[in-house]
Amino acid sequence: MVHYIRFLQPPQVTPLSDDSCHGLLSTLLTITTDLGDAFYPGATSVHCAIFDGTTIMALGVADWKPGMRVLKIKAKVPLSFLRLQARFVFSCNPSSESDLLQIERLPDIISAWTEWFSRWDAINTYVTVRRFQIPGGRMLDICEENGDSMARHI
């Protein structure tokens, strides 16, 4: 069964009072099925990174343990990196720019991406992006609304 990383609290960056070069990224997420009726039963690591279109920069890792319903992530992020066009990614595959979508095998856990943003205080919190590499090497981004409406299901 396919599970999805879902934002319960959208990613936000707040400046650090003791460090003018970094901000604190925080989010609350879950790993659940499409309808939200079952949580991921296994253990996995959720990697947090920032992507500028060419480079993925790792920010941190949090462990999902069996029986969990919610995972809180906090990570320091360089504010200079957030002045560029960028997006955050939360994935169980730390080295990939997308989830590989194949007819014969779907990913176990589908990553969550934010929309593109160019200022740390202007992150779109209403949309989660699912990013897939489809046969032929092309990328397919599917946007879904955050929240508990049927519109969020892909």
Side-chain angles (χ1 to χ4, degrees):
M1 179 173 285
V2 177
H3 288 79
Y4 301 80
I5 295 176
R6 295 207 185 280
F7 297 122
L8 299 174
Q9 174 192 6
Q12 298 175 346
V13 177
T14 53
L16 293 172
S17 59
D18 60 341
D19 184 351
S20 62
C21 297
H22 290 86
L24 182 66
L25 167 68
S26 61
T27 189
L28 202 58
L29 55 85
T30 189
I31 304 175
T32 185
T33 58
D34 185 37
L35 296 176
D37 56 349
F39 297 98
Y40 187 69
T44 190
S45 295
V46 177
H47 300 264
C48 171
I50 190 166
F51 179 66
D52 68 359
T54 57
T55 305
I56 292 181
M57 180 177 132
L59 299 175
V61 179
D63 291 325
W64 177 273
K65 296 178 177 96
M68 289 182 85
R69 300 170 71 97
V70 174
L71 181 63
K72 189 174 195 172
I73 293 184
K74 291 190 179 252
K76 271 178 103 170
V77 57
L79 291 177
S80 61
F81 205 89
L82 300 179
R83 291 188 186 103
L84 309 170
Q85 185 96 2
R87 65 198 315 185
F88 290 114
V89 58
F90 299 87
S91 175
C92 294
N93 184 356
S95 61
S96 179
E97 294 178 16
S98 64
D99 293 313
L100 188 59
L101 191 60
Q102 300 173 329
I103 301 284
E104 61 275 359
R105 188 182 181 307
L106 293 172
D108 291 335
I109 300 173
I110 295 179
S111 303
W113 295 68
T114 63
E115 289 268 44
W116 289 103
F117 60 88
S118 57
R119 288 187 13 237
W120 64 268
D121 59 348
I123 300 170
N124 181 343
T125 59
Y126 304 106
V127 175
T128 299
V129 179
R130 307 295 177 184
R131 192 160 202 237
F132 300 101
Q133 181 179 353
I134 57 177
R138 292 177 290 156
M139 296 298 216
L140 172 67
D141 285 1
I142 299 174
C143 298
E144 66 180 58
E145 294 177 3
N146 291 330
D148 287 328
S149 73
M150 285 305 287
R152 74 181 171 115
H153 301 293
I154 59 171

